Amino acid sequence: MTKKQMYTLEYPVRCSPTILYEFLSTPAGLQEWFADRVDERDQVFSFSWNGSIDKAEVLESEENSFIRFHWLHAPKDEFFEFRIEKSEVTNQTILVINDFAEKKEIKDSSQLWGYQVKDLFHRLGN
């Protein structure tokens, strides 16, 4: 099995970090754009797509700054993370996504994130 590598995607977004964080860290927010249904119990989120369920635990989070998830089926050192940064030059909010994929799958995985983020921006009114 080939080891997955981390990759980073950045998206400028026109909304406050507080509003964006709600969409990245709560079941109601994530259900708006990330999965068909999202439930959370004891820091473990259940994500449902077309009847298929996958679970991820929250490893770390800081309000209005970042949240890091670990898929329960994935190796311990892999995670996906939503980070909210501010551009020092433009003062614009930047959504940074860190995820893992096999080298040959990074392009496809990045495209999938792009589609999902587009849905998020639609919900945010961007």
Side-chain angles (χ1 to χ4, degrees):
M1 192 164 117
T2 41
K3 184 153 172 61
K4 293 182 178 181
Q5 60 187 52
M6 190 170 91
Y7 64 96
T8 301
L9 304 167
E10 294 186 6
Y11 302 93
V13 57
R14 289 188 305 269
C15 79
S16 75
T18 307
I19 292 169
L20 181 57
Y21 188 75
E22 283 295 307
F23 276 88
L24 305 175
S25 64
T26 66
L30 287 161
Q31 193 167 295
E32 287 282 323
W33 67 280
F34 186 69
D36 299 334
R37 182 169 169 78
V38 181
D39 294 302
E40 183 260 336
R41 184 179 184 140
D42 299 327
Q43 294 290 87
V44 175
F45 283 68
S46 296
F47 299 99
S48 175
W49 295 273
N50 299 323
S52 168
I53 296 174
D54 211 345
K55 294 185 177 193
E57 64 183 326
V58 176
L59 294 179
E60 236 182 306
S61 66
E62 183 179 314
E63 192 170 347
N64 302 330
S65 181
F66 78 95
I67 186 162
R68 180 179 290 178
F69 293 94
H70 170 260
W71 292 116
L72 297 184
H73 68 270
K76 282 282 180 218
D77 59 344
E78 292 178 13
F79 59 87
F80 68 100
E81 174 182 77
F82 302 121
R83 192 167 282 279
I84 301 168
E85 297 180 356
K86 276 275 197 203
S87 165
E88 290 182 22
V89 177
T90 63
N91 204 31
Q92 188 169 30
T93 302
I94 310 286
L95 168 61
V96 178
I97 298 174
N98 291 307
D99 197 5
F100 284 78
E102 290 182 23
K103 192 171 186 171
K104 65 181 191 286
E105 295 175 354
I106 289 176
K107 184 179 177 192
D108 289 344
S109 192
S110 297
Q111 278 186 318
L112 180 60
W113 275 117
Y115 293 130
Q116 289 186 286
V117 168
K118 188 175 174 186
D119 204 17
L120 169 62
F121 286 1
H122 177 72
R123 299 283 192 261
L124 290 169
N126 273 243

